[in-house]
Amino acid sequence: IALVVSDRGYYFERRLQGQWQSLPGKGFDLTGWADGTTASAGRQRIVFDSLGLASSDAVVSLTRDGTTLVVHLRRDGKVTLDAG
């Protein structure tokens, strides 16, 4: 399973027969950022193994109305938020 984060929003994928495919179902498809929210994520794919460990650390900054929230995803799956 992978989490894909971009400037437009985020969605989930799964790897089947050697290819990444969108994970079907509500809540797994593209969820856009709320109106007025900008993300400085570029495009990141974070792959989770069968134990839930992430392939890499990830950082996504979300800004709306002059307030920034930084989401940190660690390899061990821990998620922390820093409000600025």
Side-chain angles (χ1 to χ4, degrees), residues 20-62:
W20 286 105
Q21 300 176 6
S22 295
L23 201 59
K26 186 169 174 66
F28 296 117
D29 53 352
L30 178 64
T31 300
W33 306 120
D35 288 340
T37 301
T38 58
S40 60
R43 185 174 188 281
Q44 301 180 53
R45 177 183 283 127
I46 301 98
V47 179
F48 294 90
D49 67 16
S50 61
L51 297 175
L53 301 177
S55 57
S56 63
D57 290 341
V59 177
V60 178
S61 295
L62 303 171

Side-chain angles (χ1 to χ4, degrees), residues 63-76:
T63 303
R64 183 173 55 208
D65 297 330
T67 301
T68 299
L69 177 69
V70 182
V71 181
H72 300 269
L73 172 64
R74 293 190 346 201
R75 289 200 66 215
D76 63 5

